[in-house]
Structures are given as structure tokens and as C-alpha cells.
Amino acid sequence: MQQLQAKSLEMRTPQATKTAVLVIGGAEDKVHGREILRTFFGRAGASDAYITIIPSASREPSIIGGRYIRIFEEMGANKVELLDIREREQCEATFIQASLEACTGVFLTGGDQLRLCGVLSDTPAMDIIRQRVRSGQLTLAGTSAGAAVMGHHMIAGGGSGESPNRSLVDMATGLGFIPEIIVDQHFHNRNRMVRLLSALSAHPDRMGIGIDEDTCAMFERDGWLQVMGKGSVTIIDPTEVTHTNEPHVGATEPLTIHNLRLHILSHGDRFHLYQRIVLPAAYRIS
Amino acid sequence: MQQLQAKSLEMRTPQATKTAVLVIGGAEDKVHGREILRTFFGRAGASDAYITIIPSASREPSIIGGRYIRIFEEMGANKVELLDIREREQCEATFIQASLEACTGVFLTGGDQLRLCGVLSDTPAMDIIRQRVRSGQLTLAGTSAGAAVMGHHMIAGGGSGESPNRSLVDMATGLGFIPEIIVDQHFHNRNRMVRLLSALSAHPDRMGIGIDEDTCAMFERDGWLQVMGKGSVTIIDPTEVTHTNEPHVGATEPLTIHNLRLHILSHGDRFHLYQRIVLPAAYRIS
């Protein structure tokens, strides 16, 4: 009888879900295996998941939002909601705050990272997301522009095809979910190594994370990130830098940076953000 | 009287010139300050220089060769000669070998590095150049394709705009003047970081040297290189690599490489090829 009660309790209580932050390089598979989106779905609670989609970066919020709604509904999420926040004032609305307080997963779509930050930063809605991500109540994912906003410093735009220099990249302030990193997305696909190097020259106290398309750096709360998907995650670690020429904003002279550490990670590889340990996929951590 | 004799002797004997190997990223300034070409001219003996130009990489050898002839003649070289070697058999010719035995500088133009290697490799002409460069009798410069051939392993071609993977780069055998390096030219200008990384994954015992346009890595015989020109020299040092997935030729799966060291050098910076010391421009070595 006691056994039956315990069994029944177990079935009613949702399995404790290990939350995570998924930083996706854009163009993630939405059709076939959907490895990355499926992992987000799982980490948000699987069939118990209440997923809130924020398409504020996009100019076509209902189209892009609708697509993700269908995907997560198909996977079997308990509830999927679209919060099309267009204006900062909407972040005061009770129903928006209620959704963000109750959901188990937030998904930030692609579009324009400056628009996304303009709408969300320093709002009550943003405070709720940040606090719940930090305390492990909420799994967060961002793709493309939604990935760019993850750090405190954000790449707003930039060029390629020239020697690394400070004028090559425009920096702004991101949403700071993982303040230690500067993210660049569509990374090798759009030849962005140079702009990430330029960004790091301005902020050598951060870790550069370049994420390819259909690829994800999934950050656990203990500092480990793990790579998923078909491309690579490039980590540029300036911790041991011995010299830079510290170019000022807009400077066009070529950068000098000595003693960066560079890791090219692929599927299953792990990196610890604070201890700066890198582990191959084959190496199991308990 | 003795003093006068000594003075007279000094004036007649050409100043001993410190030879070097100049690896140029292509599109070097030919019009204005000509810093790189002028340095080559100086290291080849300045007004005593006997410069031999080898345009074999090019499909327009007389046009490109003629341009360099005019430049070095304008600078005041003692003798400038064009050796338009088109066929391997020409490398047996007495006048070609005599030129290469007597000259103080050899300049390899741009074009197609496979053509250049096809004509020169394993020929008596090549043996003369290599032996005289090694013994410090000859200053050698190569630009673009002429730079690509410097290492033992050579990048023959490749792509960009995708995750680093082994199929992205075609490797061949170079002329091996500095066997320890794999050179890539027009480097950041053509977004070639990914193909150099892919090349290094195949040959992690070499040092990756990416050279931007109008930029030169000048190698001294003692192992120091110094950067000249307007862009950057990127050094990717795999010495401390802890893990790679060792992809085979043509493999399309993304690379894994952990613990590369990366230096972005600009004008005046130095790097020691064997000791792997990097020094900023401001740091003077005696």
C-alpha cells in the first residue's frame, strides 16, 4: 500500500529537470533529428515543459514564432506560448510576467540582437528570466541574435576580410545571462573569427565563444559547456595574454594580441568556463 | 698609411649583408613606401644587389617580372635578371644555374603555387637556391604563391565559410625552405583562418603562419621572425595541443583541436620559431 502511494506520487511529481542555457549558432535543424531543439525541450521538462517563445528580435515574429510553436507542440510540450514583446512597456504587463514566472523554458529567436536588447534589457520581464535562470528554475535557449545577447558585452555587427582591427566590430551591451562570455554566431559560416578577435581585444577579460550554424554550446550551471550539433564551437581564451596594443574604439591599426589560447570543439567536447579545462568527447565526466 | 689602406679596403669590400627569408602575404606595396620590397632589396645587398626574379608561378611572367625588374632597378640594384623558367628541363641550363650561383637575392612572384613547385622542386636550380639560402649567401623572398611554397607542407587550395574540417583544404608538397611552417597568404583578407586550422589538423607538428596582404614575416637565420607591413601575421602554434580527432584526408566531420596557441602579430612584433617566444614591437632584442 505504501509502495503504491509512493509510485503514484512519483508519477504525479514532474522529474526534477536539470536546467541549462543553450547558446545556438543559428540555423539549427528544425526538420530532421532536431537534436538541439529536442535537447532544449528535454531540459525544459519534456512533456511537462511550459515553453515561452520570445520572437522580439525578429521582424516576422508571428511567422518565426509560429514555427517554433509547432515544433515544440509536435514534440509534446505541455504548453507553448508566444510572447511577442514589441515595446518595452509590454514588459510591465501582468500576463507577460505571469508567463515568465510559470514557464520552464524560454526560447529567444533570431533577428536583430540590438532590437532584442532594446526591448528586454532592464525590464521587470528580464529580471524574472535572469533570476529564474540563475536559480535553476528555467532553461534558456537563444539562437542567432538570441545567442548574441547572452554575454554582458555583445557583438552588434562587424565585418570580415581584413586584418583584425578594432574598427571591424561594433560592440554593445547584451542581456548578460552569462556575463563572462562574448558570443559570436554563424561563426565559421560567415568567417567571423576576425571580428571575435577584435571584440576580445576590447574586452580581454572575457571568453570568446564562436558558434557555428546548427551547433550549440550548452552551459550547465556548474560552469561546464558541452557541444552539440553538426559544426564547431570555437573558444578563444585571453586569460594568458601577455601583450596587446589596446586599440581604442574605431582604431583601424592592426591588432596585436600575444598568447591567446584557442580550442576548436566539436560534438560532445566539453569546456569549463571558470577552470578553463577542455575535455574531448570520449572523456566521460561523472 | 696603414689606416689609409684599411679604409680603402673597407670601401672596396661590400658590407656583409645579413641574409633573410621574406615571406610576403601578397599585394605588397609596389608604389609608395615599398617597405617590404625595399627591405628585400637591402637584405640582398642594396646597391650591390644582384637580384634574380623567378616568375614561374605566373601565367603572365613577362608582365609581372617586368614590374619587379623596374622596381629593383629604380631602387638602384647592381643587376636585376628575370629567369622565366617554364619547364623543369630549363633548370639544367648553365646560364640559369650560373645566375642562381651568383645572385644575392631571389624573388619568387605570385601566381599558382602548384605550378611553381612543379617547375622547381627537385631540380639542380632548386638545390642551388636552397643551399645558398641555408648558408646565408642569398636573401630569398616570395609573395603570394611564392610565399605558399616556403614550407615542406603547402596549402594548394581550399575553401572558407564553413566549420573547420579536413576536406576544406588541399595539401601538397612545397619547396621546403622553412620546413617547420605551413604558410597561408592573403590571410585575413580572404578569411583563411579555417583552412589553415584544417591544414594544421593534418600536420600538427608544424607551425601555422597566416600572412595578410602587404605584410611580411621576415625570417632570420637564427629562428627569429619579424613582422613588417600594414596587416597582421597570425601564428597558430600546435605544440601544446592535447587532443585532436585526427581526421583523414577529405573527411568532412568538424575538426576538434584543443589547446592551440594563437598570436596575432603586427608591425615590429617578433616570434622565435624554435623557442616559441613572442615579443612585442616595443621590446628590443640585442
Side-chain angles (χ1 to χ4, degrees), chain B residues 90-270:
Chain B
Q90 291 174 265
C91 294
E92 316 273 343
T94 313
F95 81 95
I96 282 179
Q97 294 187 27
S99 172
L100 294 173
E101 285 284 9
C103 67
T104 60
V106 164
F107 193 94
L108 307 172
T109 72
D112 175 354
Q113 52 262 46
L114 284 173
R115 181 199 307 257
L116 181 58
C117 289
V119 166
L120 273 190
S121 63
D122 300 315
T123 62
M126 180 61 207
D127 283 348
I128 296 168
I129 303 173
R130 182 186 286 115
Q131 182 271 322
R132 294 192 67 225
V133 166
R134 200 166 283 172
S135 61
Q137 298 173 285
L138 189 60
T139 286
L140 173 69
T143 187
S144 192
V149 301
M150 291 291 180
H152 172 71
H153 297 292
M154 177 177 83
I155 296 177
S160 68
E162 52 185 289
S163 301
N165 70 85
R166 185 60 186 82
S167 76
L168 204 71
V169 68
D170 296 321
M171 300 301 298
T173 301
L175 296 180
F177 294 111
I178 309 173
E180 299 86 353
I181 64 177
I182 297 178
V183 173
D184 209 350
Q185 63 287 352
H186 305 277
F187 190 63
H188 289 298
N189 313 82
R190 298 190 188 169
N191 297 307
R192 287 179 166 174
M193 183 71 100
V194 162
R195 81 176 202 180
L196 184 54
L197 285 168
S198 301
L200 285 172
S201 77
H203 304 289
D205 57 332
R206 309 291 156 153
M207 192 76 70
I209 312 272
I211 308 176
D212 291 350
E213 293 178 358
D214 196 13
T215 308
C216 172
M218 182 166 73
F219 289 79
E220 309 288 352
R221 290 174 63 221
D222 60 6
W224 282 105
L225 75 83
Q226 180 169 345
V227 177
M228 271 185 297
K230 82 172 197 322
S232 53
V233 169
T234 299
I235 295 180
I236 309 178
D237 174 1
T239 314
E240 298 164 19
V241 161
T242 50
H243 177 74
T244 88
N245 56 352
E246 292 170 19
H248 58 270
V249 174
T252 57
E253 81 250 26
L255 291 187
T256 294
I257 318 182
H258 300 171
N259 282 300
L260 289 162
R261 205 165 268 277
L262 173 66
H263 309 288
I264 310 289
L265 309 186
S266 60
H267 197 284
D269 287 350
R270 291 178 181 81

Side-chain angles (χ1 to χ4, degrees), chain B residues 54-71:
Chain B
I54 301 181
S56 308
S58 175
R59 284 184 187 276
E60 295 182 316
S62 56
I63 295 173
I64 200 165
R67 190 150 189 209
Y68 284 112
I69 288 179
R70 280 192 300 281
I71 289 170

Side-chain angles (χ1 to χ4, degrees), chain A residues 202-224:
Chain A
H203 304 289
D205 57 333
R206 309 290 156 152
M207 193 77 67
I209 312 272
I211 308 176
D212 291 352
E213 292 177 359
D214 196 15
T215 308
C216 172
M218 181 167 73
F219 288 80
E220 309 289 352
R221 289 174 65 221
D222 61 4
W224 282 107

